[in-house]
């Protein structure tokens, strides 16, 4: 009981700070960075020299024991997390921290640690960035996720109601419950939002897309179907809370808490290298993510100085690789593949999967002969423009899968 009260208070403080006080500025960020560096120097064996080498999931897992500051070994943390998962008891703690499992993209199971203070900061910040201006209380938030968390129950109160909807369950089974709940804020991956927009009569005040790439065309369908002017986004992963949409509809990096370096891919696209300046149980420093972000060229009128993003384009390892006409590799950004399909109004749902350099699977609904010929033509044109050997295309019927993240552009080619 007392713990729940402390947690609520912490969330409230984080909320007030993030909503009304903390604004990104370079000098404050540098101070935070110095403070974090000095803490890690003293408390993390791995960082005791004060150097922060480039980090990724594999390195983080390999050096887990010496990186974390709460004295846990990977074996202990893993077996504890698996045990929590099996018994579905997610509120147990080890050395004072919550231990979670993360599904690595490479198939390896990872483990992550979050302290109570870090969780409260996260929850308070998310609420501060998402609760609409002008109406703070009385919201009903419908949350579509893969696993529930007692955190939402902690946040739940007289002022805010949370309702969790399990994404593993078929969406049609949720529609009635959703209509009964009448959420004012709807949070879900775009694939679920599309279905809700199509099949329900909901009129939420705010719609927030999470966990999957939000494509421009899908965003229009979602906002039309649900009667909102903007589909907001929250961009986060186990490595932290990285960006959220402001009231003007611009996606801003969470530079109040994260220091983000850019590995440029072209003039506007970059891979973020993140240092979370608040995470201490399991520090995230100089961590290279697997995402391609695109900078927005105009500044945002909201006054937030944190970097504005045009979009999250996709995962870096979903870049397509083809054989160049003059040898070598030619890498193609997901957006260019997307464009080869989006000219057609017939195609509503689609996926493009690259299994080898010579072949693409195009899965789509409403594939007429004309559409197939057009897609083939667009791909051939791209191949000519970018000087790679045009792949063969296998056209297949698009099938909806409920049980995994929707990736419309997906590559499995060895890099
Ligand atoms: Zn803004």
């Amino acid at each position: 009981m007392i713990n729940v009260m402390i947690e609520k208070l912490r969330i409230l403080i984080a909320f007030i700070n993030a909503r009304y006080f903390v604004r990104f500025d370079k000098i404050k960020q540098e101070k935070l960075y110095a403070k974090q560096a000095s803490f890690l120097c003293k408390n993390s064996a791995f960082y005791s020299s004060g150097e922060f080498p480039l980090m990724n999931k594999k390195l983080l897992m390999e050096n887990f024991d010496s990186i974390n500051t709460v004295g846990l070994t990977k074996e202990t943390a893993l077996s504890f997390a698996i045990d929590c998962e099996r018994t579905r008891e997610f509120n147990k703690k080890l050395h004072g921290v919550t231990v979670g499992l993360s599904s690595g993209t490479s198939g390896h199971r990872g483990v992550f640690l979050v302290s109570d203070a870090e969780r409260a900061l996260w929850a308070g910040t998310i609420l501060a960035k998402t609760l609409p201006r002008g109406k703070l209380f009385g919201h009903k938030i419908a949350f579509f996720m893969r696993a529930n968390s007692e955190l939402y129950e902690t946040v739940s109160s007289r002022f805010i109601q949370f309702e969790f909807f399990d994404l593993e369950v078929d969406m049609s089974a949720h529609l009635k419950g959703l209509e009964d709940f009448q959420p004012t804020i709807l949070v879900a991956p775009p694939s679920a939002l599309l279905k809700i927009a199509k099949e329900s009569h909901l009129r939420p005040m705010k719609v927030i897309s999470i966990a999957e790439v939000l494509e421009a065309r899908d965003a229009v369908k979602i906002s039309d179907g649900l009667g909102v002017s903007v589909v907001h986004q929250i961009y986060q992963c186990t490595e932290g809370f990285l960006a959220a949409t402001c009231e003007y509809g611009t996606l801003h990096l969470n530079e109040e808490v994260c220091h983000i370096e850019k590995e440029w891919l072209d003039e506007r696209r970059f891979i973020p290298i993140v240092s979370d300046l608040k995470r201490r149980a399991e520090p995230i420093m100089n961590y290279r993510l697997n995402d391609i972000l695109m900078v927005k060229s105009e500044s945002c009128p909201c006054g937030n100085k944190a970097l504005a993003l045009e979009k999250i384009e996709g995962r870096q390892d979903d870049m397509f690789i083809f054989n160049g006409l003059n040898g070598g590799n030619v890498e193609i950004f997901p957006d260019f593949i997307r464009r080869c399909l989006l000219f057609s109004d017939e195609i509503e749902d689609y996926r493009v999967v690259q299994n080898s350099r010579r072949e693409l699977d195009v899965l789509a609904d409403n594939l007429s002969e004309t559409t197939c010929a057009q897609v083939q033509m667009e791909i051939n044109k791209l191949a000519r423009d970018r000087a790679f050997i045009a792949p063969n295309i296998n056209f297949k019927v698009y099938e909806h899968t409920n049980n995994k993240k929707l990736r419309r552009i997906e590559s499995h080619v060895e890099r």
Side-chain angles (χ1 to χ4, degrees):
M1 190 59 203
I2 192 87
N3 286 342
V4 172
M5 275 174 63
I6 291 173
E7 181 145 32
K8 281 196 178 185
L9 191 64
R10 276 176 164 157
I11 293 172
L12 182 67
I13 292 169
F15 173 84
I16 292 170
N17 266 325
R19 181 103 173 184
Y20 304 106
F21 296 107
V22 180
R23 293 291 170 265
F24 165 65
D25 89 54
K26 205 81 207 134
I27 295 161
K28 259 194 261 173
Q29 197 197 51
E30 276 163 21
K31 277 188 195 150
L32 262 184
Y33 193 101
K35 208 169 138 193
Q36 176 77 342
S38 115
F39 173 87
L40 295 179
C41 221
K42 286 185 207 112
N43 296 281
S44 160
F46 186 87
Y47 291 125
S48 60
S49 67
E51 300 217 0
F52 300 98
L54 197 62
M55 190 51 65
N56 58 34
K57 188 160 230 145
K58 188 164 169 281
L59 262 181
L60 185 63
M61 282 305 113
E62 279 169 7
N63 298 286
F64 183 88
D65 302 4
S66 60
I67 289 177
N68 83 76
T69 64
V70 289
L72 275 174
T73 65
K74 193 172 78 182
E75 276 67 48
T76 320
L78 250 178
S79 67
F80 180 83
I82 291 169
D83 204 51
C84 290
E85 193 98 345
R86 203 174 40 227
T87 55
R88 317 260 335 142
E89 284 181 74
F90 296 109
N91 46 4
K92 286 202 296 187
K93 297 208 171 78
L94 189 63
H95 291 210
V97 297
T98 308
V99 186
L101 285 177
S102 63
S103 56
T105 46
S106 48
H108 296 291
R109 283 234 265 195
V111 67
F112 65 92
L113 310 174
V114 189
S115 74
D116 289 354
E118 287 161 359
R119 252 171 34 139
L121 175 68
W122 171 84
T125 311
I126 292 259
L127 287 173
K129 299 233 178 197
T130 50
L131 290 182
R133 305 262 149 194
K135 183 176 170 20
L136 210 48
F137 300 125
H139 282 289
K140 293 198 274 183
I141 307 182
F143 222 101
F144 284 78
M145 293 208 317
R146 286 189 202 283
N148 198 0
S149 152
E150 39 116 23
L151 184 64
Y152 306 113
E153 282 148 38
T154 311
V155 177
S156 230
S157 68
R158 264 182 304 148
F159 305 114
I160 301 171
Q161 281 181 60
F162 275 90
E163 187 84 26
F164 165 73
F165 294 87
D166 190 346
L167 272 177
E168 308 280 325
V169 175
D170 187 55
M171 187 56 76
S172 351
H174 285 317
L175 288 172
K176 167 92 176 56
L178 204 52
E179 300 268 2
D180 288 346
F181 184 55
Q182 286 292 323
T184 57
I185 303 180
L186 177 60
V187 187
S191 53
L193 290 175
L194 278 168
K195 190 141 170 99
I196 299 166
K198 208 168 163 185
E199 295 177 18
S200 80
H201 305 284
L202 293 183
R203 279 291 175 269
M205 193 178 201
K206 191 164 183 174
V207 174
I208 303 172
S209 153
I210 52 166
E212 291 166 1
V213 170
L214 176 67
E215 300 204 351
R217 207 162 76 159
D218 292 340
V220 172
K221 281 188 207 161
I222 294 165
S223 56
D224 286 353
L226 293 168
V228 289
S229 55
V230 185
V231 179
H232 288 249
Q233 293 183 72
I234 290 177
Y235 169 42
Q236 65 165 350
C237 46
T238 13
E239 289 77 31
F241 163 40
L242 296 164
T245 310
C246 74
E247 64 208 283
Y248 286 84
T250 304
L251 191 57
H252 289 277
L253 283 177
N254 181 25
E255 290 188 281
E256 293 94 325
V257 177
C258 294
H259 171 83
I260 294 165
E261 287 199 46
K262 303 169 197 81
E263 182 185 317
W264 291 103
L265 299 170
D266 66 11
E267 308 80 56
R268 289 178 70 192
R269 293 179 172 87
F270 68 94
I271 292 169
I273 299 168
V274 178
S275 297
D276 191 312
L277 306 181
K278 295 277 187 175
R279 289 270 293 269
R280 291 192 161 177
E282 184 187 11
I284 300 293
M285 295 298 281
N286 239 355
Y287 188 101
R288 187 179 186 276
L289 290 171
N290 175 24
D291 291 326
I292 303 170
L293 311 187
M294 191 191 263
V295 175
K296 198 178 170 84
S297 29
E298 315 88 63
S299 62
C300 181
C302 76
N304 184 351
K305 297 271 182 295
L307 189 75
L309 298 177
E310 187 69 50
K311 62 176 151 193
I312 298 151
E313 183 168 332
R315 290 163 31 157
Q316 192 210 358
D317 55 17
D318 281 332
M319 277 170 78
F320 282 19
I321 305 184
F322 297 101
N323 293 322
L325 283 176
N326 311 312
N329 292 330
V330 175
E331 287 195 301
I332 302 292
F333 290 119
D335 257 5
F336 289 89
I337 303 295
R338 233 165 245 146
R339 265 181 233 159
C340 294
L341 276 97
L342 293 186
F343 67 89
S344 162
D345 286 332
E346 276 175 52
I347 300 176
E348 285 223 359
D349 263 326
Y350 75 92
R351 286 174 61 217
V352 186
V353 183
Q354 184 182 31
N355 290 310
S356 82
R357 284 157 199 255
R358 296 259 177 176
E359 238 167 328
L360 294 185
D361 287 352
V362 170
L363 302 90
D365 54 355
N366 308 321
L367 273 179
S368 67
E369 245 171 68
T370 333
T371 312
C372 292
Q374 274 176 308
V375 171
Q376 181 83 61
M377 208 175 71
E378 291 293 326
I379 300 269
N380 290 348
K381 184 171 175 297
L382 181 66
R384 267 198 316 278
D385 291 349
R386 301 295 306 275
F388 63 81
I389 300 170
N392 293 323
I393 303 179
N394 310 311
F395 289 97
K396 297 178 177 174
V397 177
Y398 179 90
E399 271 174 58
H400 223 56
T401 48
N402 230 10
N403 52 6
K404 66 183 240 204
K405 265 194 189 188
L406 175 64
R407 277 153 72 199
R408 293 203 190 276
I409 309 293
E410 186 172 344
S411 175
H412 300 289
V413 175
E414 259 334 289
R415 304 94 257 244

